[in-house]
Amino acid sequence: MRMTQPHIQPRLRIAPSPTGQLHVGTARTALYNFLYARHLGGEFFMRIEDTDVTRSKREHADAFCEMLRWMGIDWDGDIIYQSDRFEMYTQAINSLLEKGLAYECFETPEELEAINAERKEKKLPPGYDGRARNLTQDQIQAYKNEGRPRTVRFITPDSGTSEFEDAIRGKVSVLWENVSDFVIERGDGTPTFFLANAIDDIDMDITHVVRGEDLIDSTHRVLALRRALGNAEQPFYAHTPMILAPDRSKLSKRHGAVSLESYRDAGYLPEAMVNYLVLLGWAPSNDREIVTLEEMISEFDIFNVNKSGAIFDVKKLEWMNGEYIRAMQTTSIVTRLKTMADARYGSSYDFERFERAVELAQPRATTFVAMLDQMDPLFAQDFSIGQEYVEALRSTDQAIEILDAVEKHLTDCDWTLVGIDLRDVVSEIGLKPRKALPAVYIAIEGSTSGLPLFDFIELIGRDEAIRRMRNAKLLLG
Ligand code: GLU
């Protein structure tokens, strides 16, 4: 069943908490919000949820915005910072207190822990037992005089059910007896996530809330707050499934790179990243995988987002990035890679060779950084063979014979690709190229994969090729 769209002019938002780098999951949520807003012809806003002053940093917020721009995502209007709006939240909290819908509490962290332990013993869900609901003014004053920390809690119903309709998950409900009175103002006077989130969605007239499933439980509390603040109208909700690691646990730092920054720095193209992210939970028509942002906007429908979590597969991302690199003009790759090459090799490397190396790397590319890694044996000052490959060379059958034959051939062959071709050379000593050429690869490029071998040999020139064959033989002793 499709829910009706609540407003004519949809207004969506991304509401990151700037406590670290941009997680790929948040990047995908931002993308889905942006796509759905544009698809519906609505607006998309940026709200920084930085009420937790101890954990939030402006530099993370700035980086978040920069990364979204990098992805090609833009937003409408000015960025809203919750930290600029404390006054509004305090007013709302005071009005809830005045209406008797919230109350002041004075427990110390140790006392709260004890309450939790007590509940655990009674097999009750963790939370607060509401003991301060009916404090008298005198008690409150006495606690204040004691200098105890003061928090404000919102009163949740003791019985009944909270229910809302989610575009992806369907009906979502919870028993109120399992949701205890929750904090809306912290001891330091700052509002909590629930409060600021509820107020801002009302204040910004947000019509559609698309966000990660990890927040689904908070929605009951946010909706209760909205009602208490006099806003019975419910936005349209869609909670997207989590992004998972290959072992199907929630993707986190222990699985490797999880920030968008790390993928940008590893040389992924924003177009490829966006394309990959959109597929984590949604698929365009006709089994297509490569889709432009314009196509995504025209086809994206939140009702077609999967219920189950999507696995973050770096291999697939690499493949996709490679597809984008292959589709680029070689000259524009040269331009973009040159800056990175200058930083890596200084300014003395041979630019013509560099252009040729880019041509060679492009058809097999995964990322810009991987392309440059393949060029290292060509341009890096200190070419050497890593220990792992020295071992591989040593355990190759007839290694000396192979290297001798190749050296001899390279000494007087025509210096063209056809002339350099080593397949017959190794066949003549009774070996299959597949078996014998990895040793030559190691001698020339320092590993068993990289730029195509014969082209590479042609590029480094006869003298250098022979020198590398001899050095490799020295390693064999
Ligand atoms: N600030 C929340 C977060 O970064 C998102 C809140 C929301 O989208 O409603 O997880």
Side-chain angles (χ1 to χ4, degrees), residues 3-155:
M3 286 172 286
T4 46
Q5 306 289 344
H7 283 253
I8 299 162
Q9 176 64 347
R11 292 166 65 90
L12 287 81
R13 81 316 191 261
I14 181 71
S17 306
T19 54
Q21 290 194 317
L22 171 53
H23 188 283
V24 289
T26 314
R28 187 199 54 172
T29 302
L31 177 64
Y32 281 9
N33 272 289
F34 166 77
L35 293 177
Y36 202 41
R38 295 292 179 252
H39 176 81
L40 297 172
E43 288 173 287
F44 172 63
F45 299 94
M46 168 71 75
R47 176 171 90 221
I48 304 292
E49 298 207 325
D50 55 354
T51 59
D52 183 345
V53 288
T54 51
R55 295 176 62 224
S56 303
K57 292 220 160 59
R58 185 56 180 255
E59 70 213 53
H60 292 312
D62 292 347
F64 183 93
C65 295
E66 184 195 322
M67 290 312 296
L68 246 55
R69 289 197 192 95
W70 178 77
M71 288 169 74
I73 293 180
D74 53 1
W75 53 88
D76 299 297
D78 293 335
I79 302 172
I80 289 178
Y81 295 90
Q82 288 189 328
S83 54
D84 290 341
R85 296 152 74 86
F86 281 129
E87 222 180 278
M88 187 169 75
Y89 308 131
T90 307
Q91 270 175 20
I93 291 166
N94 289 340
S95 87
L96 291 173
L97 280 169
E98 275 159 29
K99 286 190 222 152
L101 300 172
Y103 58 94
E104 295 173 291
C105 295
F106 299 90
E107 285 82 9
T108 61
E110 296 73 33
E111 284 164 345
L112 288 173
E113 240 167 67
I115 294 175
N116 253 328
E118 206 180 300
R119 289 175 70 86
K120 204 171 170 189
E121 220 159 83
K122 290 187 194 151
K123 302 219 167 359
L124 289 169
Y128 184 69
D129 58 5
R131 63 181 62 183
R133 272 189 188 181
N134 300 310
L135 291 180
T136 62
Q137 279 313 315
D138 287 348
Q139 284 169 310
I140 290 175
Q141 199 48 53
Y143 282 139
K144 283 184 181 167
N145 294 346
E146 266 181 55
R148 281 172 167 265
R150 172 219 188 238
T151 56
V152 178
R153 283 183 190 268
F154 180 72
I155 302 175

Side-chain angles (χ1 to χ4, degrees), residues 13-18 26 29 47 49 193 197 201 209-212 214-215:
R13 81 316 191 261
I14 181 71
S17 306
T26 314
T29 302
R47 176 171 90 221
E49 298 207 325
F193 158 72
N197 187 271
D201 279 348
V209 174
V210 176
R211 57 186 186 177
D214 51 339
L215 291 166

Side-chain angles (χ1 to χ4, degrees), residues 282-303:
W282 175 79
S285 58
N286 302 326
D287 291 330
R288 283 175 306 144
E289 292 207 288
I290 306 291
V291 265
T292 63
L293 201 59
E294 287 67 39
E295 289 166 337
M296 290 174 206
I297 289 172
S298 95
E299 280 188 44
F300 186 81
D301 187 345
I302 202 74
F303 289 95

Side-chain angles (χ1 to χ4, degrees), residues 8 61 76 112 134 161 163 208 220 235 239 245 263 278 380 391 428 465:
I8 299 162
D76 299 297
L112 288 173
N134 300 310
T161 315
E163 195 170 89
H208 295 65
H220 300 286
H239 287 88
Y263 287 96
V278 83
E391 299 304 332
E428 270 163 33

Side-chain angles (χ1 to χ4, degrees), residues 316-333:
K316 175 145 187 201
L317 170 60
E318 275 183 4
W319 166 80
M320 178 152 296
N321 200 57
E323 290 292 295
Y324 274 86
I325 293 179
R326 281 183 278 290
M328 283 174 76
Q329 298 277 352
T330 308
T331 48
S332 61
I333 302 179

